[in-house]
Amino acid sequence: MTTLVTGIGELTTQDPERGPLQDAALVVDGDLIAWVGPAASAPAADERIDVEGRAVVPGFVDSHSHLAFAGDRADEFAARMAGERYDGGGIARTVDATRAASDDALRALLARRMAELRAQGTTTVEIKSGYGLTVDDELRTLRLAAEVTPETTFLGAHVVPPGTDVDSYVALVTGEMLDACAPHARWIDVFCEPASPHAFDGEAARTVLEAGRAAGLGLRVHGNQLGPGPGVRLAVELGAASVDHCTHLTGDDVDALAGGDTVATLLPGVEFSTRSPYPDARRLLDAGVTVVLATDCNPGTCSSSSMPFMIALAVREMGMTPAEALWAATAGGARALRRTDIGVVAPGNRADLAVLDAPTHLHLAYRPGVPIARSLF
Ligand code: NIG
Ligand code: FE
């Protein structure tokens, strides 16, 4: 079954060979894009959708989220707006709420959140565990996440559970917990943050990542969120796909990113929601670093699931152009997940597309908070 999508006022392909197209059309065959080009030369298809001059962009790729949780921490957000600082301590509250939730309750929460994402134009999302922190609860959240996305990440090393010592917890994460979780995860992640009393230092993070790699998982790192630290350089050294947050960077960190294969994923919803200084995207881009945007959607540091909001923040607060921010939220997200079948509108790729109630992509940043984006299919 083929569908012709026509009447595309502006098509952002993110395909360097094609560039953006005006008055464009595309043909979808099943789940895949079959043809892209000017509307005037579009081939026939079984069905036709006319988007009446709207802009079409690749579906957003949200390469960093923590959607497998129960409860909320809106009270912590309010306290931060009144001056309190974030240090990761609230994670334990979400762990309690998540452990107490039944499988069906978590499944319903995930389904609702997936619908919320699609309604805002996100077509791929990565989901981390990390609110279980026991073998059974980490396995359970990963299994449930795997029901809704192939991009699942084992984050047993989110924080050290209260009352446990770091060394024995790292032994559990890299032993029995990893054995149970690895078959249900594509990635492993660690909250490497010496500035937090709850997270992991560089040495513990290295142990976790090396064990994950030996178990066949790809690597991702939460690094340099709350202060300078070893996370970014460790991620680059170990060839992680992405290091995420990158809020506090030294010149050496920027040089390492510029010289390595690891992308920098910025999560400006976190700085918004923790009232913190934004990462310096311009400095990274000017140094030649691949910059990606994601939501980090989680109950503690950013409760927004909106990629258009991240684009607006990146443009308004981090010195990115609207085109750079859109690339970072689409093709960049694909890069962070080491995927070549999404993020770029080209024949053979997945037909993951977002349509905007707007004539151009500029409106994503120009109309913040207005729900103009939705997934096309
Ligand atoms: O990416 N930094 C660590 N983890 C999450 C926050 C999790 C939480 O506070 O519940 C983050 O910001
Ligand atoms: Fe995160």
Side-chain angles (χ1 to χ4, degrees), residues 23 100 146 286 368:
D23 300 321
D286 291 347

Side-chain angles (χ1 to χ4, degrees), residues 157-245:
H158 197 183
V159 286
V160 182
T164 316
D165 76 276
V166 189
D167 292 345
S168 48
Y169 188 62
V170 169
L172 177 69
V173 168
T174 58
E176 192 190 341
M177 198 185 276
L178 177 62
D179 291 344
C181 290
H184 305 278
R186 181 168 180 228
W187 306 97
I188 188 166
D189 195 343
V190 54
F191 185 12
C192 177
E193 195 68 61
S196 162
H198 311 284
F200 298 84
D201 64 15
E203 208 180 310
R206 178 188 292 277
T207 304
V208 168
L209 293 168
E210 285 178 345
R213 183 164 63 185
L217 302 179
L219 310 185
R220 330 186 64 73
V221 177
H222 280 72
N224 303 54
Q225 174 186 3
L226 304 175
V232 165
R233 272 162 291 145
L234 181 66
V236 176
E237 180 198 324
L238 297 182
S242 179
V243 55
D244 300 33
H245 287 288

Side-chain angles (χ1 to χ4, degrees), residues 54-71:
R54 291 181 174 82
V56 169
V57 301
F60 301 120
V61 179
D62 188 353
S63 61
H64 183 143
S65 89
H66 304 249
L67 295 182
F69 69 90

Side-chain angles (χ1 to χ4, degrees), residues 6-13 20-24 51-57 322 326 354-367 370-374:
T6 190
I8 304 175
E10 178 194 77
L11 177 63
T12 301
T13 65
L21 300 174
Q22 314 298 316
D23 300 321
V51 297
E52 298 174 336
R54 291 181 174 82
V56 169
V57 301
L326 178 56
V355 61
L356 311 182
D357 269 326
T360 73
H361 71 281
L362 296 178
H363 285 233
L364 286 164
Y366 173 56
R367 307 197 72 210
V370 183
I372 62 169
R374 64 187 152 82

Side-chain angles (χ1 to χ4, degrees), residues 64 66 73 76 80 86 88-92 94 128 131 155 158-159 191 193 199 222 225-226 245 267 270 274 296 298-302:
H64 183 143
H66 304 249
R73 283 155 42 211
E76 285 180 26
R80 280 197 304 271
Y86 176 83
I91 292 171
T94 302
K128 301 173 199 299
Y131 293 120
L155 181 58
H158 197 183
V159 286
F191 185 12
E193 195 68 61
H222 280 72
Q225 174 186 3
L226 304 175
H245 287 288
L267 310 164
V270 170
T274 56
D296 197 9
N298 76 78
T301 58
C302 174

